[in-house]
Amino acid sequence: MEQTKVYSTGCLLDNKIGWDTNSHDSVSRENKLSSQNFLSVLQTSTSLSGCAQIESTTTEGCAQIESTTTEGFAQIESTTTEEGDSTPSYKHLWVVCDECYTLNYKRFLKERLSICEGCESHLKMNSSERLELLIDPNTWDPMNEKMASIDPIEWDSEDDPYIDRIASYQKKTGLTEAIQTGIGRLNRIPVAMGVMEFEFMGGSMGSVVGEKITRLIEYATNQSLPLIIVCASGGARMQEGSLSLMQMAKISSSLYQFQTNQKLFYISILTSPTTGGVTASFGMLGDLIVAEPNAYIAFAGKRVIEQTLNKEVPEGSQETEYLFDKGLFDLVVPRKTLKSILNELFQAHSLFSLNQNSIDNINI
């Protein structure tokens, strides 16, 4: 009977025979394995064992990867289901134009003065960007920076208390109120200037906004400075009730002293949006009223008018170009040329004032 050869890595080997020395069967010389042949077979066996181990490890690794991947997809799918969209958000890098829906990259948009690349529409600018646009570098001296609103009528709102809203907008904008006021130079001409911040509660005019504007006008009156106010507001602030409405009369009174008695120069710049109590007071009291192109300017909003009168407001009837044709403004000036136009207006007014003083002296 032919002997079945079984190689075992666990038996002791004889150098000559290569088999288990305890075997009871005699083995012929021709069938004996040399140590070299056995080692070769042993290496082959070890390699096969290693391959099997690698294959096993690979299989386990693939299973683990597949499991991890499945869990990952499940997590993504869960996130998609909960949030509705698993696409990474890059909204903070882009601004969509409301007119032509062009995506404007924020970095380039700032270099273009927030003018849409697709249709040249004038998009919103914050107050700091407008100061950077109009005031010479390192000449801005702010006034009344620390003035902030309290809750004068104890506005009752359990869901969103007025004081908490003020604090949240202060944190968001870095400002204490919805306007920046101060003194600066426009092409080396000293001016008193106020710029409203629409991002702060829609630029709404409360008691602090009214007080800051009044103090600015009084300072400009005492120092004989020309005045610029850039308007961007939703109107009077309802959380302060009649106190916010009183600001309209207070500012108008101080402007009367500035313009009529002192004969100083006030330019009102209307940007989008300018509505409500701001439009009904200092926004429309400028010696020259300048508006930006395609700005939304009104007293009452379109929705309010339609709901109150049950009539449809014609499209575009509350925009700069239509209102300019009706004689509501003196100038419509694009943002790129605004500073140079203001410079020419101040120089012309200064020259006119000198000539007028000379005439008055002659008459005397």
Side-chain angles (χ1 to χ4, degrees):
M1 178 182 297
E2 182 179 357
Q3 183 182 7
T4 304
K5 299 180 179 66
V6 179
Y7 302 104
S8 174
T9 58
C11 58
L12 295 174
L13 300 177
D14 188 312
N15 290 334
K16 295 183 179 180
I17 303 175
W19 289 94
D20 189 351
T21 52
N22 297 325
S23 177
H24 298 287
D25 299 325
S26 59
V27 183
S28 61
R29 183 76 178 176
E30 292 80 4
N31 292 333
K32 291 179 181 179
L33 290 174
S34 66
S35 297
Q36 183 178 359
N37 291 339
F38 181 79
L39 289 175
S40 176
V41 173
L42 180 61
Q43 290 174 359
T44 303
S45 175
T46 305
S47 300
L48 292 174
S49 176
C51 290
Q53 185 176 1
I54 292 171
E55 184 178 357
S56 174
T57 305
T58 305
T59 305
E60 291 177 1
C62 291
Q64 186 177 0
I65 292 172
E66 184 177 357
S67 174
T68 305
T69 306
T70 305
E71 291 176 2
F73 280 121
Q75 185 176 1
I76 292 173
E77 185 177 355
S78 174
T79 305
T80 305
T81 304
E82 292 177 2
E83 299 179 2
D85 185 11
S86 62
T87 306
S89 176
Y90 299 102
K91 291 182 180 179
H92 62 287
L93 299 176
W94 302 88
V95 175
V96 181
C97 175
D98 294 333
E99 298 294 328
C100 66
Y101 304 106
T102 298
L103 280 175
N104 294 273
Y105 186 41
K106 273 191 176 180
R107 178 182 172 186
F108 299 150
L109 187 64
K110 186 176 181 180
E111 295 173 358
R112 291 175 51 85
L113 305 179
S114 295
I115 298 175
C116 176
E117 186 176 2
C119 64
E120 298 293 321
S121 292
H122 287 53
L123 307 180
K124 290 183 177 66
M125 293 181 75
N126 61 42
S127 57
S128 298
E129 290 172 338
R130 291 193 180 277
L131 288 172
E132 186 179 344
L133 170 66
L134 297 176
I135 298 298
D136 298 343
N138 303 319
T139 64
W140 178 248
D141 183 18
M143 298 172 57
N144 305 306
E145 281 186 294
K146 296 183 180 180
M147 288 183 66
S149 294
I150 55 175
D151 193 357
I153 65 172
E154 297 181 357
W155 177 264
D156 187 15
S157 177
E158 296 180 358
D159 297 333
D160 193 9
Y162 180 47
I163 291 297
D164 291 348
R165 290 194 68 185
I166 291 291
S168 66
Y169 280 107
Q170 287 174 344
K171 183 178 180 180
K172 177 183 177 182
T173 62
L175 304 175
T176 57
E177 256 299 339
I179 190 169
Q180 293 193 66
T181 58
I183 309 302
R185 290 182 177 271
L186 189 151
N187 286 347
R188 295 181 293 179
I189 301 173
V191 295
M193 189 169 181
V195 184
M196 304 195 77
E197 177 57 75
F198 188 76
E199 293 298 320
F200 195 107
M201 292 189 72
S204 55
M205 180 175 62
S207 54
V208 171
V209 171
E211 182 64 22
K212 290 183 72 171
I213 294 175
T214 302
R215 292 189 184 188
L216 177 70
I217 296 170
E218 290 174 347
Y219 182 87
T221 303
N222 295 331
Q223 300 297 321
S224 299
L225 294 173
L227 174 67
I228 301 173
I229 298 181
V230 181
C231 305
S233 174
R237 188 174 297 175
M238 66 176 185
Q239 288 87 349
E240 297 187 21
S242 59
L243 292 176
S244 62
L245 298 176
M246 288 171 58
Q247 308 310 313
M248 299 167 62
K250 184 169 72 174
I251 295 171
S252 299
S253 177
S254 60
L255 277 174
Y256 179 82
Q257 173 70 14
F258 177 85
Q259 293 171 289
T260 306
N261 295 341
Q262 298 297 321
K263 294 181 174 58
L264 296 171
F265 192 33
Y266 165 43
I267 296 179
S268 173
I269 301 176
L270 307 182
T271 68
S272 186
T274 299
T275 61
V278 172
T279 306
S281 58
F282 62 89
M284 291 295 179
L285 291 178
D287 295 304
L288 277 174
I289 302 175
V290 179
E292 282 192 337
N294 61 272
Y296 180 80
I297 301 166
F299 175 67
K302 179 179 179 181
R303 178 175 54 84
V304 174
I305 296 174
E306 291 178 342
Q307 290 180 352
T308 304
L309 302 179
N310 292 324
K311 290 184 178 180
E312 184 177 352
V313 177
E315 192 68 30
S317 62
Q318 295 178 311
E319 294 182 0
T320 297
E321 289 71 23
Y322 178 86
L323 297 174
F324 178 73
D325 290 339
K326 300 299 180 182
L328 201 63
F329 317 125
D330 298 299
L331 295 170
V332 178
V333 181
R335 197 171 287 165
K336 292 180 179 179
T337 59
L338 181 58
K339 186 173 183 178
S340 61
I341 294 294
L342 292 176
N343 178 59
E344 293 178 8
L345 290 173
F346 285 134
Q347 289 181 349
H349 182 267
S350 176
L351 180 62
F352 174 78
S353 298
L354 290 174
N355 292 336
Q356 188 63 39
N357 291 334
S358 300
I359 294 172
D360 291 342
N361 292 332
I362 291 173
N363 290 336
I364 292 174

